[in-house]
């Protein structure tokens, strides 16, 4: 995708390219186990990923009877879904903020993202997954409803990820965490859409536990 003229149209280029790139950031982050480093969009939880590459494919990580199965964000995305196929070859840098095509393209990208398909095989599965908190409701200093996202800044500092990379979480008990804290969420996963002011989620979790992320499967 050409970016030669990006300096001339930074706002339009940034908005469009970030939304398009965001569709693949989370899933790509789990494709391999990165070397230890700071938290970045491509390395969601910092350091080494919570699950090694060998368990990146659906069903690879098996839970003991009666226990939640630790999953990766990649497992939430249908294998045949390609959010970028309709936009390949487009020169985003040729569009400035005054060009009506820029807003039209932005709306189209947002629609693709908001309607990203979920993986039906994950419906009803007891899971354990790490991510970042985006608070929706709070009471008495505790988060009572939130979105779980795969990389730092999503929905707050950057556009929301696709709907199949956002979990709408209702914890059984209020959780004493703040925005962008890293946590483990454990509970039953449902393919249930929810629209919120912070983003559209394709999954819902009634969380039995929300605990601090420790950098490993503990």
């Amino acid at each position: 995708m050409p970016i030669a003229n990006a300096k001339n149209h930074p706002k339009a280029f940034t908005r469009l390219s970030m939304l398009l790139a965001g569709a693949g950031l989370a899933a790509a982050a789990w494709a391999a186990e990165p070397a230890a480093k700071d938290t970045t969009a491509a390395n969601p939880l910092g350091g080494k990923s919570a699950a090694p590459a060998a368990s990146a494919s659906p069903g690879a990580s098996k839970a003991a009877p009666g226990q939640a199965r630790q999953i990766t964000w990649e497992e939430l995305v249908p294998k045949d879904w390609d959010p970028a196929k309709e936009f390949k070859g487009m020169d985003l840098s040729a569009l400035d903020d005054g060009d009506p095509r820029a807003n039209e393209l932005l709306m189209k990208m947002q629609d693709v993202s908001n309607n990203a398909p979920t993986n039906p095989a994950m419906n009803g599965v007891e899971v354990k997954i790490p991510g970042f908190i985006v608070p929706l409701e709070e009471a008495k200093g505790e988060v009572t409803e939130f979105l779980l996202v795969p990389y730092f800044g999503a929905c707050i500092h950057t556009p929301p990820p696709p709907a199949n990379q956002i979990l709408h979480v209702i914890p059984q008990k209020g959780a004493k965490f703040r925005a962008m804290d890293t946590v483990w969420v454990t509970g039953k996963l449902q393919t249930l859409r929810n629209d919120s002011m912070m983003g559209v989620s394709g999954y819902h979790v009634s969380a039995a536990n929300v605990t601090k992320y420790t950098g490993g499967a503990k």
Side-chain angles (χ1 to χ4, degrees), residues 90-111:
M90 290 185 177
D91 184 1
L92 301 186
S93 64
L95 304 177
D96 59 30
D97 288 341
D99 191 329
R101 294 176 300 170
N103 286 331
E104 182 180 344
L105 183 57
L106 182 62
M107 293 296 291
K108 186 175 182 180
M109 288 181 174
Q110 190 65 66
D111 184 65

Side-chain angles (χ1 to χ4, degrees), residues 25-61:
L25 279 175
W30 298 105
E33 185 175 17
K37 54 184 176 181
D38 293 337
T39 298
T40 65
N43 181 23
L45 304 182
K48 293 185 176 182
S49 60
S55 63
S57 59
S61 176

Side-chain angles (χ1 to χ4, degrees), residues 69-159:
R69 176 164 71 89
Q70 184 184 328
I71 66 169
T72 69
W73 286 89
E74 184 180 22
E75 293 179 61
L76 302 178
V77 181
K79 288 183 177 181
D80 59 353
W81 184 61
D82 180 8
K85 66 180 180 180
E86 297 182 48
F87 311 106
K88 289 178 180 178
M90 290 185 177
D91 184 1
L92 301 186
S93 64
L95 304 177
D96 59 30
D97 288 341
D99 191 329
R101 294 176 300 170
N103 286 331
E104 182 180 344
L105 183 57
L106 182 62
M107 293 296 291
K108 186 175 182 180
M109 288 181 174
Q110 190 65 66
D111 184 65
V112 170
S113 181
N114 289 345
N115 291 285
T118 55
N119 181 355
M122 300 305 296
N123 190 44
V125 178
E126 290 284 343
V127 303
K128 180 177 182 180
I129 186 170
F132 293 87
I133 281 182
V134 178
L136 295 179
E137 296 289 342
E138 298 183 42
K140 299 180 179 180
E142 296 182 331
V143 178
T144 56
E145 179 181 358
F146 63 91
L147 300 180
L148 190 73
V149 294
Y151 55 88
F152 186 88
C155 300
I156 296 179
H157 304 299
T158 65

